[in-house]
Amino acid sequence: MSPKIRILYVEDHADTLHTISYALARQGFEVLNATSVASGITVGIAEEFDILVADIILPDGDGWDVLKTLRETKSFPAIALTGHSQGRAEILAHGFDLCVLKPFHISTLVAAVMDLFRASESQH
């Protein structure tokens, strides 16, 4: 997989963060981790990344807060992760490009990341 795709991954559940980050790294992605809205914004401002993958429910707000703040200065595709299927339309209406429902297989997330990356590259 080239070039190396950098993912900003925001997830507050430690085991999930570790498992998904590890699985994405094994697939060849570079993963920048954040565990809250505040840290997601801090990392997202300080670092370049290609795609945001964010849990919706976070301890200090939600994934929309990260998305909204970072999109004030950067353009990037974004994937929401949620366990609530009824909120999918609302998630997409708030600016996420895709919504992946928990639980999911890592191949589903990898395919979503690759699809969004290719689409964003073709627009540039």
Side-chain angles (χ1 to χ4, degrees):
M1 165 184 326
S2 71
K4 190 130 192 152
I5 298 170
R6 296 186 90 199
I7 298 170
L8 172 55
Y9 178 40
V10 185
E11 169 65 63
D12 63 309
H13 187 265
D15 289 342
T16 303
L17 179 76
H18 174 75
T19 301
I20 299 303
S21 293
Y22 177 78
L24 288 170
R26 295 238 352 171
Q27 294 293 317
F29 299 106
E30 183 175 342
V31 184
L32 307 167
N33 290 325
T35 58
S36 65
V37 170
S39 65
I41 291 169
T42 299
V43 173
I45 289 171
E47 301 284 342
E48 293 298 319
F49 62 94
D50 300 300
I51 295 176
L52 170 67
V53 175
D55 189 15
I56 292 299
I57 299 171
L58 296 165
D60 58 341
D62 56 48
W64 292 309
D65 299 326
V66 178
L67 177 68
K68 180 182 166 198
T69 301
L70 294 178
R71 279 211 175 138
E72 290 173 1
T73 58
K74 296 183 178 195
S75 176
F76 54 87
I79 299 170
L81 302 178
T82 185
H84 305 286
S85 62
Q86 68 274 15
R88 188 178 219 159
E90 183 181 5
I91 289 167
L92 297 175
H94 277 87
F96 279 93
D97 300 289
L98 291 174
C99 181
V100 175
L101 296 176
K102 295 177 181 179
F104 56 86
H105 190 276
I106 193 65
S107 63
T108 301
L109 183 57
V110 168
V113 166
M114 292 305 300
D115 288 347
L116 280 181
F117 181 76
R118 287 186 196 112
S120 70
E121 285 293 293
S122 69
Q123 294 173 356
H124 292 103

